[in-house]
Amino acid sequence: MKFDCSKSDLIHALNIVQRGVARKTTMPILEGILMEATDHKIVLTSTNLEISVKTTLPAHIEQDGAIILGASFFSSLVKKLSGDDIYFESTGQDTLKMTCELSTYTIKGMSPEDFPAFPEIIDDYTFAIKADVLHDLIRGTIFSVALKENIPVLTGLKLEIEGDQITVVALDGYRLALRKGTLSKAIDQPVSVIVPGSSMSELEKMISSTEEDIQVNLSKSQIFFTVGDTEFTSRLLEGEFINYHHIIPEETNTEITVSRRALLDSTERAALLANEGKNNLIKLDIGMEELTLTSNADIGEVHEVIPIKKTGDDLRIAFNSKFIIDALKVISEEDITIRLTNPVGPALIVGDDDRFVTLILPVRVSDDM
């Protein structure tokens, strides 16, 4: 193997492909990146057996070849090199020499023979979506994915696709987040899948700086995302997702409109005190034209008043401050609507067009708190 390539192109490709590298594993080969030199390009591949990432970069190839290099060390070394171009050459079995200006390094790698094959794209279902739309859908729901695996399907995002519409849903038993978006290329027939939250979190980071259309292919067990020269694939979760439609209440006894920024800022300030307690608890007293937010702990108490517009009953209700903050941080609207039923019923945070819905269960507190 002998080739040279741009250092900046290689760094960009490594930043992408590292999304698929295994962090903790008993298989050292999964902590590496497969580097293949072939056909005027370098192909980089990684996998942790749940997700696989493959991307390419242009290169001047003198001799084809392949090697697996430790992802963390190799990426850190490339970023530290000075100069614009890097020259690579095999010097023995699974050994690679790197030269950049006056610096030369010899790196021991691993044989590429046992590296898992990249999944073959199967297009039982196909659609396309703009990167910024998919990014917002993931960002607006991923915070509600369950972290505990006692109910495996809740550790994933449910994707419902029909026509040119996509709905993404996550719930963890305490809250639910739902976002709707429009596809740039419609799907031929409706389909619903569950993608691991960890996979979608890595995809969100990967597409955060691109504006391209993303081609999506679905099979019975895999989902494939193609963005330019990069392919990202994840296994799907098996099982029946909870019927979330029954969770979202239709009844509303109290409805308020409030500045998202004002409520977020007040909640974050109150959370500083609430975090000193045991349950991150904040209490909301909803009156005619104002919302009073309070929290107390051994070190003190907080009392904040926020102007609102209200219809319906006055209400006192309590929430985990983290759940409120997580929901408000991913909303871009200046004003939000919160719908409530009673002190023990869920709160619904919605926008003007119902393109997003966040449901948060309250914390039961005694009347004298």
Side-chain angles (χ1 to χ4, degrees):
M1 181 166 65
K2 187 176 182 180
F3 66 92
D4 60 88
C5 66
S6 160
K7 186 185 79 170
S8 61
D9 287 347
L10 181 56
I11 290 174
H12 177 70
L14 287 171
N15 287 339
I16 292 173
V17 81
Q18 278 190 298
R19 300 292 178 196
V21 175
R23 300 291 183 262
K24 296 179 180 179
T25 177
T26 57
M27 301 173 62
I29 199 169
L30 300 183
E31 296 178 340
I33 293 172
L34 173 62
M35 174 186 282
E36 299 172 283
T38 180
D39 194 25
H40 306 294
K41 64 185 178 183
I42 300 300
V43 182
L44 302 179
T45 307
S46 64
T47 184
N48 62 12
L49 301 183
E50 179 174 282
I51 65 174
S52 299
V53 184
K54 179 164 64 176
T55 192
T56 65
L57 65 145
H60 173 238
I61 309 294
E62 293 187 40
Q63 184 178 354
D64 291 355
I67 191 171
I68 297 172
L69 299 172
S72 179
F73 171 75
F74 181 56
S75 297
S76 297
L77 178 59
V78 170
K79 292 174 183 178
K80 292 290 185 181
L81 292 174
S82 58
D84 297 326
D85 297 303
I86 308 177
Y87 298 83
F88 296 85
E89 184 177 2
S90 295
T91 57
Q93 185 175 7
D94 303 327
T95 305
L96 192 65
K97 182 175 75 173
M98 292 174 52
T99 303
C100 187
E101 289 192 338
L102 300 178
S103 301
T104 300
Y105 296 84
T106 300
I107 304 174
K108 292 187 177 296
M110 292 176 279
S111 171
E113 294 180 0
D114 297 326
F115 197 81
F118 194 86
E120 181 181 354
I121 293 181
I122 302 173
D123 54 355
D124 292 340
Y125 303 90
T126 302
F127 64 92
I129 185 170
K130 291 188 177 299
D132 61 338
V133 174
L134 181 58
H135 179 270
D136 288 347
L137 290 172
I138 300 172
R139 180 173 177 266
T141 52
I142 195 72
F143 64 89
S144 286
V145 166
L147 300 179
K148 296 181 180 180
E149 298 186 358
N150 53 321
I151 306 179
V153 292
L154 297 188
T155 64
L157 292 179
K158 184 177 186 183
L159 277 58
E160 300 175 336
I161 308 104
E162 182 172 3
D164 67 347
Q165 295 297 303
I166 178 171
T167 301
V168 180
V169 184
L171 62 94
D172 64 2
Y174 302 98
R175 52 191 170 168
L176 174 150
L178 178 151
R179 290 263 176 161
K180 298 179 181 180
T182 301
L183 307 178
S184 50
K185 177 186 175 184
I187 197 167
D188 292 335
Q189 51 185 312
V191 65
S192 175
V193 296
I194 306 170
V195 188
S198 55
S199 301
M200 296 300 275
S201 181
E202 293 298 338
L203 179 65
E204 178 201 359
K205 298 169 189 172
M206 194 184 82
I207 64 176
S208 61
S209 59
T210 184
E211 298 180 355
E212 298 182 60
D213 265 17
I214 299 176
Q215 179 73 26
V216 186
N217 300 83
L218 283 167
S219 70
K220 293 181 179 179
S221 60
Q222 293 276 328
I223 186 167
F224 305 85
F225 301 89
T226 303
V227 192
D229 295 326
T230 300
E231 297 175 26
F232 180 106
T233 180
S234 170
R235 70 177 179 89
L236 299 176
L237 293 176
E238 297 180 356
E240 197 70 28
F241 202 79
I242 291 176
N243 186 346
Y244 65 88
H245 296 285
H246 293 168
I247 300 174
I248 301 174
E250 297 181 358
E251 178 186 358
T252 300
N253 293 329
T254 303
E255 180 173 301
I256 67 171
T257 301
V258 62
S259 163
R260 181 193 68 88
R261 173 51 61 184
L263 181 56
L264 176 58
D265 289 346
S266 291
T267 305
E268 287 183 325
R269 287 191 293 267
L272 294 174
L273 192 68
N275 290 341
E276 297 294 327
K278 297 181 180 180
N279 52 16
N280 297 331
L281 186 68
I282 60 170
K283 285 152 277 187
L284 308 181
D285 280 290
I286 300 171
M288 180 56 66
E289 296 182 348
E290 62 184 31
L291 181 156
T292 302
L293 187 153
T294 59
S295 181
N296 58 70
D298 291 341
I299 64 170
E301 60 183 38
V302 63
H303 181 280
E304 298 224 10
V305 177
I306 307 168
I308 61 171
K309 295 179 180 177
K310 188 203 76 168
T311 58
D313 303 332
D314 292 352
L315 185 66
R316 170 177 288 185
I317 194 167
F319 295 99
N320 183 319
S321 60
K322 182 182 184 303
F323 294 170
I324 299 291
I325 292 169
D326 287 346
L328 297 181
K329 276 188 173 180
V330 299
I331 297 172
S332 58
E333 282 79 353
E334 291 185 6
D335 295 322
I336 57 168
T337 298
I338 304 178
R339 299 170 183 163
L340 307 115
T341 53
N342 56 62
V344 295
L348 283 184
I349 303 175
V350 299
D352 292 337
D353 56 3
D354 285 346
R355 299 291 282 181
F356 73 84
V357 174
T358 303
L359 179 150
I360 303 174
L361 292 181
V363 178
R364 292 175 181 264
V365 294
S366 59
D367 292 337
D368 58 348
M369 288 187 67

